Amino acid sequence: MSDAQRRIDDGAPGEQPSTGGADGSDSDSDSGNDEFEPVQVFPEAEEMDLRPGADNCYKCSTCDTNCPVAEVDDEFPGPKFQGPEQWRLKRQDDHDIDDSVMKCSNCMRCDSACPSSVPLSQMHNTARAEYVEENMSKFSREYLRNRLLANYRRLAPLASMFPRTANVVMGLSVTKWLGEKTLGITSEREFPEFATETFREWWTDRGGAKVENEDKRIAYFHGCYSNYNTSEVAKALVRVYEHFGYEVMVPEQSCSGTPMFANGMLEDARRAAETNVRELAAAIEDGAAVIASCSSCSMSIRQEYPELFDFEDTETVAANTWDAVEYLRVHEDLTGALEDTAVGDEFDELAYHAPCHSRNQGLDGQTIEVMDAIDGIDAQDVGDSCSGISGTYGWKAENYETSMKIGEEMFEHMDAAEAETGLTECPTCSMQMEHGTGYEIKHTLEVLEAALGGDRAESGAGSGSNADAGTTTATESN
Amino acid sequence: MAITDDVLVIGGGLAGATAALAAAETTEDARIRLVTYKQSTLRHASGLIDVLGYAPGTTDDQQQPIADPYTALESLPESHPYQRVGIDAVRDALAFFDEIAGDAYAGAHTDRNALVPTHGGTVKPTARYPVSTAEGLASDDRDTLLVGFETLPDFDAPLAAAHLEAAGAPFDARGVTLSFPGIGRDDAKVTRYAHLLDHDERVETPSVTGETGAREALAATVNPHLDEESRVGFPAILGDAHPAAVREALSDALGAAVFEVPMGPPSLPGLRLEDLLYDALESAGVRVTSGVPVVDYETVAADSTGENSTADETTTAAIDHVIVDRNGAQIPHEADQYVLATGGLVGKGVESNRERVTEGIFDCYVPHATDRYDWFVDDVFGEQPYARFGVVPDEELRPLGTDDNPEFSNLRAAGAVLGDYDYAAEKSGAGVSLATGYVAGTRAGEACQ
Ligand SMILES: Cc1cc2nc3c(=O)[nH]c(=O)nc-3n(C[C@H](O)[C@H](O)[C@H](O)COP(=O)(O)OP(=O)(O)OC[C@H]3O[C@@H](n4cnc5c(N)ncnc54)[C@H](O)[C@@H]3O)c2cc1C
Ligand code: SF4
Ligand code: SF4
């Protein structure tokens, strides 16, 4: 864009317009004449093809200074290289993708930092897929391990059929040792526990929605983790939304694709996305807004789907997908409803970490603002550092150390905070927070459920602050 | 429901952050929100707070730096943002900044510009400078060793030292280029250097066998090259989170004062200034929403202002709410007063295409020649008209329309989105952002009381 050709340095006197072609960015213009063309200082409509996208880069290195991996590991060449430089090289000749792309954690911080809107994470995702497709042996341990981690959802149903056995087996040190030796999954971490009842089982047993409302409907995208592992988060979402009079739909769904993008398994992600877009588009057609409780799931549907796929309705689904708390803030008087509510001691002090994927959606300030409205909660933001785990990244033995180095700042800030309970919206950040501090970690929806539920139990439905929830139905009783 | 606040600041660079802080200080109970899209130009900027380094209009390379910026402000043209807000406001804004910066910045003891050596070996006239640069001032006559690193070619220490001497610096300067212990690749990020030193990571030291802390290793690398010099200048990479501790450790180990030389982008002193401002915003209770752009606005519906005013065509419209775009979802944000601090051509507050130059959100009037070939002069080192593009405000900093009336009654503008000054040529970037941010924020705060 304009600044692409504007020299950015603080040397006097001022920035001068480039005379065009100086940095090779105009190399595909039809003539070799480099007559001064002032208009090139200003942007032209660019279509979103990756290689021209690389030309938007004016090499300011803002992305590099935001990359948590490059900060702790100078083997990693950083996002400017991964993105625009690599794609520029590719245009010149058919360059192989550099293997360092596998060291990128897909935190997407570079993407939201770039002042010139270079589509960095789209470039990384595409490069990673190409690397895995062309340069990684399909029989290598790394490929198998990554495929396994990326397709966690396929294993989870098995484990959750026999959750107790699975939990015991996963916890055995011999399993972990095997994991590290044969698969390269770090033995330092505890495998997450499987819920004894998945969310969907609970939902069916419960008989589905307790509130019917044609005018206020949501389709819940629960993702894998709150279905198989932290079903209490998913239940909290249902209760909070029913409190506000919403009819909750739970459509068929597949993995959001986040772990697949991060491992370069773009075809797996495409299949999952196709199902999700189809099912969610149908729900939108029925008048629902799509709501996610996991920040990476919403990020994936909102940003990565439109960047990487073009199914019919991809854009519609992206534009109608919301973070669970954000939707309530915009469509209900959430702070009003939370006024005069209180929660038990278990939530009085909270150390909040904003996941990178919620930061990138502009949601990083939201949780503290909402928590402030509840009496007796002191929620403290532990700063803007990355937790370091980034989904499956920190599970890989070769990344474990980097992951913990990145997390160090967050651990220090959590230790310094008053709280002994952590708060976040991302399941893997939550694992990292627990792993680094030993704190119990909660999801924001669990706190909202406690606040709104407590209030309702005392004052009865429809009274007091519930008034603005409109047709609150007093059907929720469990 | 719109997200509702009293003052909404759009843009989170130096101007926007200052405006939000000033509004918060003006009104005790008002709710202030700052919405910002991408990262601001603070990350590129040297971290120096320039008020006025050179007189506008003197494009000659041999021009003299201004000694006392405040006296020089008086002779600026009427339309210059400094003249719009008045010289007293500039002083107040600097005092406001001094309070926020605390002991992280120096220079408040005098009205005169300090001369800070930069990575090219030139000296920059500036009003406030990070403490990390304080020991390096060019007016100080202590002999100086400059240390550069092979992996940071932007700072050529021997060349910078030669430039300083040639420019008549009142001291002997010498430069050496060394290799930075613990850094392997030649394009390691400045944040990597800073992290090594912040955390005093264990590194291999060539001079000592085995591993030592990064700070000790760096001092051991420099020590053999230190002669009689009583101060040592490094490129500005000496820590991000704990810069004072890093400097102190190096200074103790070297037995000499240690300072940083500001570098080109990306710049750690700029990053530290950004952190400082965002910490201040958090302490002041300002709500920050980042990563999403404001894309549109609605004015107060004509009929809600009463029958009389609807008939009056010249009534200034008021903004009712703005629209924030979140990956396609449109989120209304409502406030009583608004501050536009979206930056200039670099920050994307001012945009241009082949036909015209515009302000992107409210389409405020940006004066410019109709013939685009008049936006430039052929001499690339000449004064470029496009560098002065921006909105034109009244004394309250409300952007004016073509008819010289405020475009909106509750919108003020601050920082690089304003026109009629060329921050790069006159070295006034941070100063204009501070002064106009301070005034716009204060007025916005007062208006919603
Ligand atoms: C390379 C460089 C070096 C510099 N060096 C110095 C120096 O040495 N000394 C000095 O005094 N000054 C320097 N400056 C100038 C100074 O840092 C700033 O440019 C100046 O203060 C302008 O700040 P600002 O807040 O007005 O705008 P910016 O810093 O440009 O900030 C604007 C912000 O608004 C956001 N924004 C834009 N559009 C929207 C939207 N629609 N919705 C929401 N947010 C939006 C942007 O993402 C950005 O974060 C330098 C500038 C540059 C570029
Ligand atoms: S932040 Fe954007 S423009 Fe700057 S170097 Fe990175 S990709 Fe290029
Ligand atoms: S996605 Fe994160 S880890 Fe990957 S290059 Fe960008 S900032 Fe670095």
Side-chain angles (χ1 to χ4, degrees):
Chain A
M1 308 251 270
S2 71
D3 301 319
Q5 275 92 4
R6 211 170 135 94
R7 264 175 55 86
I8 297 302
D9 57 46
D10 55 356
E15 290 97 5
Q16 76 224 52
S18 133
T19 49
D23 58 1
S25 58
D26 299 308
S27 54
D28 48 5
S29 63
D30 44 359
S31 75
N33 99 52
D34 47 11
E35 186 191 319
F36 179 57
E37 171 53 280
V39 170
Q40 287 168 346
V41 181
F42 295 102
E44 290 294 291
E46 296 256 32
E47 70 291 19
M48 267 314 179
D49 178 2
L50 292 178
R51 296 175 201 202
D55 294 343
N56 281 353
C57 171
Y58 66 110
K59 306 191 180 88
C60 68
S61 297
T62 301
C63 51
D64 283 348
T65 57
N66 277 275
C67 176
V69 175
E71 182 176 332
V72 300
D73 176 9
D74 63 304
E75 304 270 290
F76 181 63
K80 177 160 53 102
F81 171 81
Q82 289 310 339
E85 284 175 4
Q86 178 142 273
W87 284 99
R88 244 179 269 203
L89 285 178
K90 280 191 74 64
R91 179 166 57 200
Q92 280 151 21
D93 55 282
D94 227 358
H95 240 268
D96 272 356
I97 299 285
D98 192 74
D99 62 358
S100 61
V101 74
M102 299 311 283
K103 281 181 172 267
C104 158
S105 78
N106 203 34
C107 70
M108 298 167 89
R109 281 188 173 236
C110 50
D111 189 89
S112 66
C114 172
S116 197
S117 300
V118 174
L120 282 149
S121 56
Q122 185 181 18
M123 291 174 161
H124 300 345
N125 277 329
T126 316
R128 219 173 355 244
E130 185 173 325
Y131 176 78
V132 169
E133 188 54 37
E134 317 231 314
N135 305 77
M136 199 190 268
S137 156
K138 304 293 169 298
F139 303 103
S140 68
R141 179 183 91 157
E142 193 183 0
Y143 180 81
L144 291 173
R145 188 267 322 266
N146 290 358
R147 193 88 202 261
L148 194 77
L149 286 172
N151 288 283
Y152 159 82
R153 185 178 170 275
R154 296 190 185 277
L155 298 176
L158 284 176
S160 66
M161 259 186 244
F162 312 101
R164 291 190 184 84
T165 325
N167 288 337
V168 171
V169 173
M170 297 296 236
L172 290 177
S173 55
V174 63
T175 314
K176 291 187 180 175
W177 180 83
L178 270 175
E180 174 133 359
K181 287 291 167 241
T182 58
L183 286 170
I185 295 176
T186 178
S187 61
E188 301 285 338
R189 296 185 188 277
E190 299 292 323
F191 286 104
E193 286 208 9
F194 288 95
T196 44
E197 182 189 39
T198 66
F199 165 68
R200 292 187 79 97
E201 285 164 4
W202 174 83
W203 178 254
T204 314
D205 276 0
R206 178 189 197 246
K210 294 262 159 109
V211 174
E212 283 180 23
N213 187 345
E214 262 186 39
D215 303 323
K216 285 169 75 170
R217 240 178 221 166
I218 63 150
Y220 179 27
F221 189 84
H222 48 66
C224 312
Y225 203 74
S226 61
N227 184 36
Y228 294 114
N229 301 81
T230 52
S231 57
E232 61 281 5
V233 172
K235 293 176 199 168
L237 180 134
V238 169
R239 294 186 184 124
V240 167
Y241 270 85
E242 288 188 345
H243 171 90
F244 285 102
Y246 284 87
E247 175 174 337
V248 178
M249 301 158 67
V250 183
E252 280 304 309
Q253 53 194 271
S254 193
C255 169
S256 69
T258 302
M260 299 161 180
F261 297 135
N263 286 289
M265 311 285 169
L266 207 53
E267 276 317 303
D268 292 346
R270 179 186 301 278
R271 270 192 299 278
E274 195 167 13
T275 308
N276 292 335
V277 168
R278 185 184 63 238
E279 297 294 330
L280 298 175
I284 293 168
E285 189 73 10
D286 287 339
V290 178
I291 306 293
S293 52
C294 159
S295 40
S296 295
C297 292
S298 52
M299 186 77 199
S300 172
I301 300 174
R302 281 172 152 185
Q303 185 180 324
E304 288 171 311
Y305 285 13
E307 279 181 356
L308 297 166
F309 310 125
D310 53 1
F311 315 119
E312 202 189 341
D313 298 326
T314 310
E315 302 280 343
T316 315
V317 170
N320 286 288
T321 297
W322 298 73
D323 165 78
V325 176
E326 175 193 26
Y327 188 81
L328 288 177
R329 281 220 312 170
V330 175
H331 294 89
E332 301 295 327
D333 182 9
L334 181 61
T335 32
L338 289 171
E339 249 162 54
D340 301 324
T341 61
V343 289
D345 293 349
E346 56 173 326
F347 297 129
D348 59 350
E349 280 173 345
L350 298 165
Y352 175 67
H353 165 74
C356 295
H357 289 174
S358 96
R359 186 171 297 282
N360 300 340
Q361 296 183 59
L363 299 171
D364 50 328
Q366 151 180 302
T367 301
I368 297 285
E369 284 177 34
V370 170
M371 292 294 123
D372 276 352
I374 305 172
D375 270 353
I377 293 192
D378 183 12
Q380 198 183 329
D381 193 315
V382 294
D384 61 0
S385 56
C386 169
S387 79
I389 189 167
S390 290
T392 58
Y393 183 82
W395 279 93
K396 300 176 185 170
E398 72 272 23
N399 295 336
Y400 178 74
E401 202 191 322
T402 303
S403 159
M404 292 304 280
K405 256 188 174 178
I406 298 172
E408 206 169 288
E409 194 177 326
M410 180 187 75
F411 303 145
E412 278 169 19
H413 289 172
M414 285 179 72
D415 280 340
E418 296 282 319
E420 306 269 288
T421 304
L423 185 69
T424 194
E425 289 91 16
C426 164
T428 56
C429 286
S430 165
M431 289 177 205
Q432 177 86 331
M433 292 164 82
E434 188 186 339
H435 183 60
T437 61
Y439 292 2
E440 189 183 358
I441 316 297
K442 295 287 182 185
H443 189 287
T444 306
L445 284 166
E446 294 179 83
V447 185
L448 292 186
E449 181 197 19
L452 297 167
D455 171 55
R456 184 185 35 202
E458 280 150 34
S459 57
S463 73
S465 59
N466 281 343
D468 37 36
T471 55
T472 306
T473 336
T475 41
E476 172 65 86
S477 53
N478 48 342
Chain B
M1 295 250 342
I3 305 233
T4 307
D5 300 276
D6 297 304
V7 177
L8 183 74
V9 177
I10 309 166
L14 182 57
T18 307
L21 289 167
E25 178 158 284
T26 314
T27 58
E28 289 274 297
D29 340 292
R31 229 202 248 173
I32 321 291
R33 182 180 302 275
L34 186 149
V35 179
T36 189
Y37 186 24
K38 300 293 184 173
Q39 281 176 357
S40 77
T41 56
L42 280 169
R43 287 179 172 250
H44 312 320
S46 57
L48 302 177
I49 304 290
D50 305 340
V51 168
L52 193 65
Y54 295 91
T58 52
T59 54
D60 181 4
D61 246 358
Q62 302 304 312
Q63 63 181 332
Q64 283 305 304
I66 289 172
D68 178 349
Y70 295 99
T71 325
L73 293 186
E74 322 239 354
S75 47
L76 291 174
E78 216 25 51
S79 59
H80 194 286
Y82 280 141
Q83 291 283 11
R84 290 278 151 154
V85 297
I87 314 302
D88 289 343
V90 181
R91 284 183 183 279
D92 292 348
L94 266 285
F96 185 64
F97 174 79
D98 292 334
E99 221 172 283
I100 297 164
D103 51 17
Y105 270 76
H109 61 285
T110 172
D111 270 1
R112 299 173 64 80
N113 273 330
L115 297 174
V116 176
T118 69
H119 61 109
T122 55
V123 290
K124 183 127 184 259
T126 192
R128 299 287 186 276
Y129 41 96
V131 279
S132 66
T133 62
E135 298 281 357
L137 295 194
S139 49
D140 184 331
D141 60 9
R142 286 176 291 169
D143 290 348
T144 303
L145 175 69
L146 296 179
V147 177
F149 298 104
E150 288 149 6
T151 44
L152 280 173
D154 282 358
F155 180 52
D156 180 338
L159 191 69
H163 277 178
L164 278 175
E165 288 201 336
F171 50 83
D172 287 339
R174 206 161 54 82
V176 290
T177 303
L178 307 174
S179 95
F180 197 101
I183 293 286
R185 71 179 302 121
D186 57 8
D187 63 345
K189 315 301 168 233
V190 291
T191 47
R192 177 65 196 134
Y193 291 87
H195 191 95
L196 263 175
L197 293 168
D198 270 343
H199 295 261
D200 206 10
E201 279 183 33
R202 310 293 294 173
V203 297
E204 299 273 347
T205 332
S207 46
V208 193
T209 34
E211 288 190 341
T212 52
R215 298 173 187 176
E216 192 188 328
L218 179 56
T221 311
V222 175
N223 238 328
H225 301 273
L226 188 61
D227 265 343
E228 296 293 293
E229 292 91 350
S230 53
R231 51 179 179 166
V232 182
F234 291 92
I237 45 139
L238 303 182
D240 182 5
H242 312 292
V246 172
R247 279 198 314 281
E248 196 186 310
L250 290 175
S251 168
D252 286 351
L254 291 169
V258 163
F259 65 92
E260 288 187 320
V261 178
M263 300 281 289
S267 140
L268 274 167
L271 279 166
R272 294 183 205 129
L273 174 57
E274 185 173 55
D275 284 347
L276 186 147
L277 292 168
Y278 278 77
D279 285 349
L281 288 168
E282 192 181 344
S283 310
V286 173
R287 305 185 150 189
V288 176
T289 302
S290 57
V292 285
V294 172
V295 292
D296 206 354
Y297 70 100
E298 295 281 343
T299 49
V300 178
D303 54 4
S304 75
T305 57
E307 265 173 48
N308 294 339
S309 53
T310 45
D312 185 355
E313 286 286 306
T314 62
T315 315
T316 306
I319 296 161
D320 180 68
H321 64 267
V322 295
I323 305 286
V324 169
D325 177 274
R326 191 165 288 149
N327 295 98
Q330 308 273 298
I331 320 249
H333 280 62
E334 183 184 280
D336 195 37
Q337 301 294 323
Y338 299 81
V339 177
L340 176 70
T342 44
L345 286 162
V346 181
K348 311 283 186 214
V350 176
E351 294 161 8
S352 52
N353 57 26
R354 275 176 184 269
E355 278 76 46
R356 54 187 221 118
V357 185
T358 51
E359 179 282 303
I361 302 172
F362 302 101
D363 199 14
C364 291
Y365 171 56
V366 177
H368 59 278
T370 38
D371 183 345
R372 64 195 156 98
Y373 283 87
D374 291 340
W375 298 353
F376 309 85
V377 294
D378 283 340
D379 171 9
V380 288
F381 293 109
E383 290 240 314
Q384 293 294 347
Y386 72 83
R388 303 173 159 269
F389 285 167
V391 305
V392 181
D394 66 5
E395 275 160 20
E396 271 221 33
L397 293 181
R398 289 178 302 190
L400 298 172
T402 39
D403 59 357
D404 263 357
N405 283 317
E407 301 246 21
F408 305 97
S409 59
N410 55 351
L411 178 71
R412 292 173 184 78
V417 72
L418 296 171
D420 280 337
Y421 77 112
D422 181 342
Y423 75 82
E426 63 193 42
K427 300 293 174 221
S428 64
V432 167
S433 289
L434 275 176
T436 55
Y438 176 75
V439 170
T442 306
R443 296 275 177 279
E446 285 165 359
C448 72
Q449 266 172 342

